[in-house]
Amino acid sequence: MSWWNQIYNNFDPVAFSLFGLSVHWYGIMYILALLTALFMAKWFAKKDKLGFSEKLLDNYFIWVEIGVILGARLGFIFIYSDEQMHYITHPWEIFNPFHNGEFVGIRGMSYHGAVVGFIIATFWFCKKHKTNSFALLDLVALSVPLGYVFGRIGNFLNQELVGVPTSMPWGIEVAGILRHPSQLYEAFLEGVVIFVVLFFYRKYKKFNGELIAIYTILYALMRFVSEIYREPDFQLGTYMFGLSMGQILSFLMLFLGIFTYFYAWKNRDKNLSN
């Protein structure tokens, strides 16, 4: 087998140690994802003259990050975890980065939970700052995909969310089984592909809310396809027709995207300005 097939046997998920704490590549990739999204938001706001100041975007970034972290963590616990009662009775453990006295970071985040937290934070922020929510969400649609690439690379480097078994030559050996590098498929489909589509389509945008609706629809479709090559969460398995929880949630996200598109289109005259 090649070095690539054996990468998990030759790669340490821990990048370095700082004051006795292990800093994982996943954490570094997560920070890069956030900084990339913020940079892209400011770049698009300036390049396309969208009327959002850097100060407002910095403030929004803080609100959204809080919403995303809370939503992602709670979403994982109540959707994917099989220890709900433990966290309900021990709520201080939800964000506890230590396990048996060892610093392991906060593990277990749900993208769909993050979306809920993101939506709540966004509408709350826009109401407080009297900002057009659909215009701001369109900017988010342009800014998030490239940041998302780093997030999925982080999953890959952290050796989590592995793919289903494969005989393809680019498979990655995990515990003696060759598997699809599904995290990288997701980085490409849900990150690069969506970014390219929205980057070129943004010039044809007809109303505020159109880009975030298209992003939601595209993400749902790309995630559904990616899940075909991703091992279902062992504690959940598959459901009717062999669908994973990720695919079921993608269906719901698809309907949300379609609803958002028609809602924004119907109210386009009310959403013309920032």
Side-chain angles (χ1 to χ4, degrees):
M1 287 189 177
S2 68
W3 180 88
W4 172 255
N5 301 129
Q6 296 287 330
I7 188 171
Y8 281 173
N9 297 322
N10 301 298
F11 183 84
D12 189 350
V14 177
F16 58 89
S17 295
L18 184 65
F19 304 115
L21 300 178
S22 298
V23 178
H24 289 70
W25 284 106
Y26 175 81
I28 295 175
M29 290 298 107
Y30 188 83
I31 292 174
L32 285 176
L34 296 176
L35 294 178
T36 299
L38 180 60
F39 172 82
M40 296 305 297
K42 293 181 177 180
W43 186 81
F44 277 116
K46 183 177 181 180
K47 179 178 176 59
D48 293 351
K49 298 180 174 61
L50 299 179
F52 296 113
S53 68
E54 288 198 8
K55 182 179 180 180
L56 183 137
L57 292 177
D58 286 334
N59 195 5
Y60 175 60
F61 176 80
I62 296 173
W63 280 62
V64 164
E65 184 53 24
I66 293 174
V68 165
I69 291 176
L70 287 174
R73 185 62 179 147
L74 293 176
F76 173 82
I77 289 173
F78 291 105
I79 298 175
Y80 293 100
S81 175
D82 56 358
E83 299 180 294
Q84 289 91 350
M85 288 307 301
H86 170 77
Y87 288 108
I88 290 175
T89 55
H90 301 76
W92 57 88
E93 293 285 342
I94 293 176
F95 291 99
N96 181 15
F98 293 91
H99 180 68
N100 293 331
E102 180 183 358
F103 180 82
V104 296
I106 300 173
R107 297 181 178 180
M109 295 288 188
S110 162
Y111 174 85
H112 296 95
V115 169
V116 174
F118 160 77
I119 292 174
I120 294 173
T122 295
F123 282 103
W124 192 0
F125 175 88
C126 290
K127 183 177 181 179
K128 179 178 175 60
H129 293 271
K130 296 179 173 60
T131 302
N132 186 305
S133 56
F134 276 126
L136 186 56
L137 286 170
D138 280 347
L139 178 59
V140 169
L142 293 168
S143 310
V144 166
L146 286 187
Y148 193 79
V149 172
F150 287 102
R152 285 310 186 194
I153 291 176
N155 293 140
F156 176 76
L157 297 180
N158 208 40
Q159 304 181 18
E160 60 187 8
L161 309 182
V162 299
V164 297
T166 181
S167 59
M168 294 298 179
W170 58 82
I172 304 296
E173 184 177 301
V174 182
I177 300 175
L178 205 63
R179 295 180 177 276
H180 280 286
S182 58
Q183 313 97 319
L184 301 185
Y185 298 170
E186 291 193 64
F188 178 72
L189 292 175
E190 301 161 18
V192 177
V193 171
I194 293 178
F195 173 78
V196 171
V197 172
L198 292 177
F199 179 84
F200 288 105
Y201 185 78
R202 78 187 199 283
K203 293 297 184 180
Y204 303 96
K205 170 184 166 180
K206 297 178 286 296
F207 53 89
N208 286 331
E210 184 177 19
L211 296 185
I212 191 63
I214 293 175
Y215 169 83
T216 305
I217 293 170
L218 287 176
Y219 179 87
L221 295 174
M222 296 300 174
R223 176 65 182 269
F224 186 90
V225 172
S226 299
E227 286 277 334
I228 296 173
Y229 301 97
R230 176 171 158 176
E231 186 74 19
D233 296 86
F234 73 92
Q235 71 274 27
L236 298 179
T238 57
Y239 297 83
M240 187 178 297
F241 306 117
L243 297 177
S244 67
M245 176 59 74
Q247 289 175 315
I248 293 173
L249 294 175
S250 293
F251 266 124
L252 298 177
M253 198 170 180
L254 176 63
F255 292 131
L256 174 63
I258 294 172
F259 171 81
T260 300
Y261 187 94
F262 285 105
Y263 178 84
W265 174 79
K266 184 177 180 180
N267 294 276
R268 60 192 180 280
D269 294 336
K270 302 177 183 178
N271 295 308
L272 293 177
S273 63
N274 292 355

